[in-house]
Amino acid sequence: MRATTIHAPFDMRVEDVPEPMVQLPTDAVVRVLRACICGSDLWAYRGESARQPGQRIGHEFLGIVEEAGSEVAGVRTGDLVVAPFVWSDGVCDYCREGLTTSCVHGGFWGAVGYDGGQGEAVRVPFADGTLVRLPKEAASDDHLLSALLTLSDVMGTGHHAALGAGVRKGATVAVVGDGAVGLCAVLAAKRLGAERIIALGRHETRTDIARRFGATDVVAARGEDAVAAVRELTRGQGAHAVVEAVGTEQSMRTAVDITRDGGAIGFVGVPHGSGTGLDLGTMFDRNIALRGGVAPVRTYIPELLPDILDGTIDPSPVFDLTVDLEGVPDGYKAMDERTALKVMVTNG
C-alpha cells in the first residue's frame, strides 16, 4: 500500500510499504478514508523533532474497519470509525480515569514500528479501547466526514484547552493562537457558554473563521501590544479563562499577562523554544491557575460526537486545503509556508 514517510527535514515521500495485518487478537485494520496534517507534524518536517529516515507519520484519521482480531468486540468489519491521536487499552487505571494519553499500553501513531495515519490503512492496537464507531451513512457525506475528522485531534484538543481554562457560562475567554486548535478552542468556548471570546491572531482568513466560530473580538497585535489591547477590552482586568494554543515562550507570557486575577490558563500548545514564559511569582500573587497538556481526546469523543452529528458545532472550516495521498508532501509545504491552515488528505 501507499503511505507517507519522512526521511529528513523537508523530505516527505509517499512510498510503497507493507500492508498492515492483524498481529494480536486485540488489533483491527482500518482502511483510511480521511486523514490530515497537524501543526505538530511540522516540527518533524522542519527537523525540530527527531525522526528516523523512512519513519511513518500522521496521527489523525477515520476510516472503515477492514479486519478485526478475535478478541475485538466493540467494532466489526465494515464499521466507520474515528481514531484519536493516541491508542489506548481502555481498561488501565489512567483510561478508567479518563486520561487515555497516559495509558500504560498506549502509544502514538507513527511511532517507530507503527503505522501512521497518512496512509491507505493502519493497524490499530487495542481497537476496543481506541476506536469510536460513527454512523455508517456519514461515509457518503463529505462535509460531515470533514467535521468528524476533527474529533481525532483538534476539536478534542480545543475542548481540553477550554476545560483547562475553566470556561463557563458567562465567562470572558481569550484564545492565544489562530491555528486549527486555537480556532477549535473558540468553538469549544462558545459551546460551553462563554459570553465574550477574544481571539488573538494576525491572519485575517483565520480570524474570520474565529468570528464564525463565536469570537466576539479579534486582537491582531502581539506581545505587549496584545496584552494592552485585551486589557482595554476587559476594563483592565483580563479574561477569566485563557487558552494558550501556540507553545512558545512569548505566547505563554502573553497568556499569563492577559489572565484576570483568579483566572486560569488552559495550555495545549506543544512546548518548544528555550523557555516557558512562566513567572511563578506573578502567578502566585495573582492566583492564576495553569492546567492542560496532551488532550485525552478519546475521552471527549462521545461527548462531542452528538453535537457534530446534529450540527450544533461544525469544526470543518479549519480544513482549507484538500489533497490526495500523493499530494501530502505539497500539503506539508503549504502548511509550513502558512498558505494553508490545515490540510485534509482523502483516500477515495
Side-chain angles (χ1 to χ4, degrees):
M1 71 166 194
R2 303 288 282 173
T4 307
T5 56
I6 181 168
H7 291 261
F10 308 103
D11 184 3
M12 310 299 297
R13 305 178 194 176
V14 180
E15 301 180 307
D16 291 327
V17 300
E19 285 271 359
M21 299 183 299
V22 168
Q23 298 178 15
L24 298 171
T26 51
D27 289 349
V29 173
V30 173
R31 184 66 52 178
V32 176
L33 290 179
R34 298 287 185 276
C36 51
I37 301 172
C38 182
S40 64
D41 291 332
L42 295 180
W43 302 122
Y45 179 69
R46 295 165 179 160
E48 297 182 36
S49 59
R51 293 291 189 276
Q52 293 185 5
Q55 190 171 334
R56 300 281 296 278
I57 196 167
H59 56 261
E60 302 160 281
F61 65 94
L62 57 76
I64 303 293
V65 176
E66 194 167 73
E67 184 182 2
S70 60
E71 294 181 13
V72 176
V75 298
R76 61 183 62 183
T77 301
D79 282 346
L80 178 67
V81 294
V82 64
F85 65 83
V86 173
W87 71 78
S88 52
D89 63 20
V91 296
C92 77
D93 287 346
Y94 290 114
C95 287
R96 291 178 185 275
E97 293 168 4
L99 194 62
T100 51
T101 48
S102 291
C103 176
V104 295
H105 298 118
F108 289 82
W109 310 113
V112 175
Y114 291 91
D115 298 329
Q118 293 161 19
E120 290 185 314
V122 176
R123 179 178 76 88
V124 177
F126 301 105
D128 278 342
T130 301
L131 299 173
V132 178
R133 283 191 298 175
L134 304 171
K136 287 187 177 181
E137 56 270 22
S140 59
D141 186 331
D142 285 340
H143 183 87
L144 182 56
L145 279 181
S146 299
L148 292 170
L149 179 57
T150 66
L151 292 173
S152 64
D153 186 345
V154 289
M155 188 62 229
T157 298
H159 179 67
H160 185 59
L163 293 179
V167 175
R168 61 189 185 278
K169 188 174 181 179
T172 294
V173 179
V175 177
V176 181
D178 58 5
V181 168
L183 294 174
C184 285
V186 171
L187 189 58
K190 178 69 173 178
R191 177 180 175 273
L192 292 170
E195 181 176 321
R196 191 174 194 182
I197 304 171
I198 305 167
L200 281 70
R202 296 181 297 161
H203 303 86
E204 188 173 351
T205 55
R206 300 181 180 199
T207 54
D208 285 348
I209 297 173
R211 290 188 185 278
R212 180 174 174 182
F213 281 1
T216 55
D217 304 272
V218 169
V219 169
R222 295 183 70 180
E224 294 180 1
D225 290 339
V227 174
V230 173
R231 290 279 175 179
E232 183 176 354
L233 288 169
T234 56
R235 297 182 293 119
Q237 296 180 345
H240 300 101
V242 175
V243 168
E244 193 287 308
V246 181
T248 64
E249 181 175 358
Q250 182 186 58
S251 62
M252 182 60 81
R253 194 180 306 281
T254 297
V256 172
D257 289 345
I258 64 175
T259 303
R260 187 179 187 272
D261 288 16
I265 299 166
F267 73 106
V268 291
V270 178
H272 52 278
S274 59
T276 64
L278 291 174
D279 183 333
L280 293 181
T282 296
M283 297 179 70
F284 180 87
D285 291 343
R286 295 175 50 215
N287 281 282
I288 293 174
L290 179 68
R291 188 171 180 84
V294 185
V297 300
R298 176 59 180 84
T299 299
Y300 300 139
I301 291 174
E303 176 184 350
L304 297 172
L305 176 59
D307 282 2
I308 288 181
L309 293 175
D310 69 14
T312 299
I313 58 174
D314 177 14
S316 65
V318 298
F319 297 111
D320 59 347
L321 178 63
T322 299
V323 299
D324 62 13
L325 185 56
E326 300 299 326
V328 168
D330 290 334
Y332 272 86
K333 187 172 186 291
M335 284 184 61
D336 181 54
E337 294 176 351
R338 299 183 74 87
T339 58
L341 166 61
K342 189 168 181 67
V343 175
M344 183 165 61
V345 182
T346 61
N347 280 331

